[in-house]
Amino acid sequence: MSISPRKHTQQVLVGNVKVGGGAPIVVQSMTNTDTADVAGSVQQIMELSTAGSELVRITVNTEEAAKAVPEIVNQLEQKGFSVPIIGDFHFNGHKLLEKYPDCAQALSKYRINPGNVGKGKARDPQFQQMIEFACKYNKPVRIGVNGGSLDQAVLTRLLDENRLLANPKELPAITREAIVLSALESAAKAEEIGLGKDKIILSCKISNVQELISIYEDLSNRCDYALHLGLTEAGMGSKGIVASSAALGVLMQQGIGDTIRISLTPEPGAARTKEVIVGQEILQTMGFRSFTPMVIACPGCGRTTSDYFQRLAQDIQAYLRDQMPVWKDKYKGVETMEVAVMGCVVNGPGESKNANIGISLPGSGESPVAPVFEDGVKTVTLKGDNIAGEFQELVERYIQSHYSAQ
């Protein structure tokens, strides 16, 4: 199956990162630290950036958080991190941007939720004020509509209009239309105020996979703004990963989406970087981008009663990802490499031959030897107690000899 060409969208420059306009799909993440905790926020942003997050969003919800933003950006720059920082504003963003101009200047982008800007007569003036600050400081804005905080004025208006129809639509259809219309009308208002189309990114997030797909298909057909994709409140663990992969995979296959975030609920003690890795793996397995050498490994069966190959595959994958911050600047193209770690003779030699470098470990009852293949040719047979260490050395030697130093 072929991948549909990327749908044309306006390109937006967020800090030093290009979003839309044919640029590679960008991976974004968000901190869960208290932004007022400068040290903790800087540490987590560095971890997310090192893992591969190309944009990082932070909460700006209090005066203490707004005061902290310039120092966070300053410390990141001093430590050599240039990842653009996005301010997430709800309810009081107009006040914080006005009171703390250093915060407004330090951020690379503002995120505004139309449903949380204000209520009644205060809504339009407060939205206008935030857009005016974006214009003043030359910052792009993501207008991010969420199903859980939908602009009720838009929904109420559509429901009233729907009641007058001869064949009224069902509530889910009206809700989808309200989400899309909220984004489009807000973007139109932003342009009227003076914000250029090249400063606007839209998102319309909801937690239901099929609803999300339908909403973004509609949104993509009705505008050429850059689009940020994400299944909001995706959930924990495998559920969140599967749901996000299903939704975003369908959309990106149609050429929809310029930047993505995987909104995983962190498991207790788990690293926040998980959402970055999942986002990268979705893009890489679908063939959109390459981030780190991919490990091909069999699932195991009755022929592989030992967990040796499982542990080797896990160790090799962790080793490759850990080395990428150094390798990506040192060896051009290394992120496209494939490494096979197979568990028995059935598919082991074949998969190993198809990878750049691969090892076929002995299954239950097989001879205790492990042939290694490089570019389809068997180069050595490993045996003994240090197969894992020797194979890791061979992988590194392969990289040094096949990928030119930059």
Side-chain angles (χ1 to χ4, degrees):
M1 180 182 291
S2 62
I3 297 172
S4 298
R6 294 279 301 287
K7 293 195 174 183
H8 175 75
T9 57
Q10 176 69 52
Q11 188 165 96
V12 180
L13 189 62
V14 183
N16 56 0
V17 175
K18 294 177 181 178
V19 174
I25 299 171
V26 173
V27 176
Q28 180 173 318
S29 62
M30 185 175 184
T31 61
N32 62 354
T33 56
D34 180 354
T35 305
D37 174 9
V38 173
S41 296
V42 168
Q43 180 61 37
Q44 189 172 84
I45 291 168
M46 291 193 300
E47 291 170 359
L48 291 167
S49 178
T50 299
S53 183
E54 294 157 305
L55 301 172
V56 177
R57 182 158 53 110
I58 63 175
T59 297
V60 187
N61 59 333
T62 65
E63 292 196 17
E64 290 74 20
K67 291 177 185 177
V69 169
E71 183 58 24
I72 289 171
V73 173
N74 181 54
Q75 288 195 22
L76 288 169
E77 290 175 351
Q78 290 180 356
K79 295 175 185 294
F81 286 81
S82 59
V83 59
I85 304 301
I86 301 161
D88 189 59
F89 293 99
H90 296 270
F91 309 113
N92 60 350
H94 60 294
K95 294 180 180 180
L96 296 175
L97 288 171
E98 180 178 29
K99 189 171 182 178
Y100 298 98
D102 287 349
C103 168
Q105 181 61 55
L107 292 168
S108 294
K109 186 177 77 173
Y110 309 154
R111 189 272 188 165
I112 304 173
N113 182 341
N116 288 340
V117 171
K119 294 183 179 180
K121 294 180 180 180
R123 184 185 310 276
D124 288 347
Q126 291 179 10
F127 179 82
Q128 178 170 338
Q129 193 173 0
M130 295 190 74
I131 297 301
E132 287 175 345
F133 283 121
C135 294
K136 177 180 179 179
Y137 294 104
N138 196 31
K139 304 295 182 180
V141 170
R142 173 159 71 94
I143 296 173
V145 179
N146 273 58
S149 51
L150 177 59
D151 186 338
Q152 292 303 302
V154 175
L155 180 59
T156 299
R157 187 182 84 219
L158 293 182
L159 288 171
D160 289 342
E161 293 172 355
N162 189 58
R163 292 189 189 96
L164 301 177
L165 297 177
N167 296 300
K169 299 177 182 178
E170 297 292 327
L171 179 59
I174 299 298
T175 303
R176 291 195 300 270
E177 174 65 12
I179 291 172
V180 172
L181 206 56
S182 177
L184 293 176
E185 289 183 350
S186 296
K189 288 179 185 177
E191 286 199 65
E192 289 175 9
I193 295 166
L195 193 65
K197 183 171 282 190
D198 63 342
K199 298 291 184 186
I200 298 174
I201 298 173
L202 298 186
S203 69
C204 290
K205 293 186 177 182
I206 199 166
S207 58
N208 180 283
V209 171
Q210 295 293 351
E211 294 283 281
L212 186 88
I213 293 170
S214 177
I215 286 168
Y216 270 99
E217 288 174 340
D218 187 17
L219 180 64
S220 176
N221 287 331
R222 292 165 68 173
C223 75
D224 62 353
Y225 294 108
L227 299 181
H228 170 73
L229 302 186
L231 184 77
T232 193
E233 293 99 33
M236 297 182 69
S238 60
K239 185 270 179 184
I241 294 171
V242 170
S244 295
S245 301
L248 273 58
V250 169
L251 291 168
M252 291 190 295
Q253 189 73 18
Q254 298 179 67
I256 299 171
D258 300 297
T259 173
I260 65 171
R261 185 204 169 193
I262 311 302
S263 300
L264 298 179
T265 303
E267 297 183 12
R272 188 68 167 179
T273 53
K274 183 70 172 178
E275 66 177 56
V276 179
I277 294 170
V278 172
Q280 288 182 331
E281 290 179 346
I282 292 173
L283 291 174
Q284 185 151 354
T285 54
M286 291 190 69
F288 290 107
R289 292 185 65 182
S290 295
F291 296 94
T292 189
M294 293 290 284
V295 175
I296 300 165
C298 65
C301 65
R303 291 175 175 270
T304 57
T305 53
S306 167
D307 66 353
Y308 187 83
F309 92 93
Q310 299 165 2
R311 288 186 283 110
L312 178 56
Q314 184 179 50
D315 291 346
I316 286 293
Q317 183 163 284
Y319 168 72
L320 294 173
R321 183 165 286 279
D322 288 344
Q323 294 300 312
M324 273 310 294
V326 175
W327 285 348
K328 69 180 181 180
D329 294 326
K330 190 174 182 180
Y331 300 111
K332 184 177 181 180
V334 67
E335 67 276 4
T336 64
M337 186 174 74
E338 291 186 349
V339 180
V341 180
M342 304 299 293
C344 76
V345 74
V346 173
N347 292 318
E351 291 287 358
S352 297
K353 289 178 182 178
N354 290 331
N356 294 100
I357 181 169
I359 185 170
S360 180
L361 295 164
S364 304
E366 295 177 11
S367 299
V369 295
V372 174
F373 298 84
E374 296 183 18
D375 299 321
V377 178
K378 187 170 80 169
T379 56
V380 66
T381 298
L382 304 180
K383 59 184 70 175
D385 298 328
N386 192 34
I387 289 178
E390 291 178 11
F391 182 63
Q392 185 169 299
E393 290 179 4
L394 290 173
V395 169
E396 185 152 2
R397 194 180 306 162
Y398 181 94
I399 291 170
Q400 292 171 349
S401 62
H402 286 72
Y403 296 93
S404 59
Q406 299 190 68

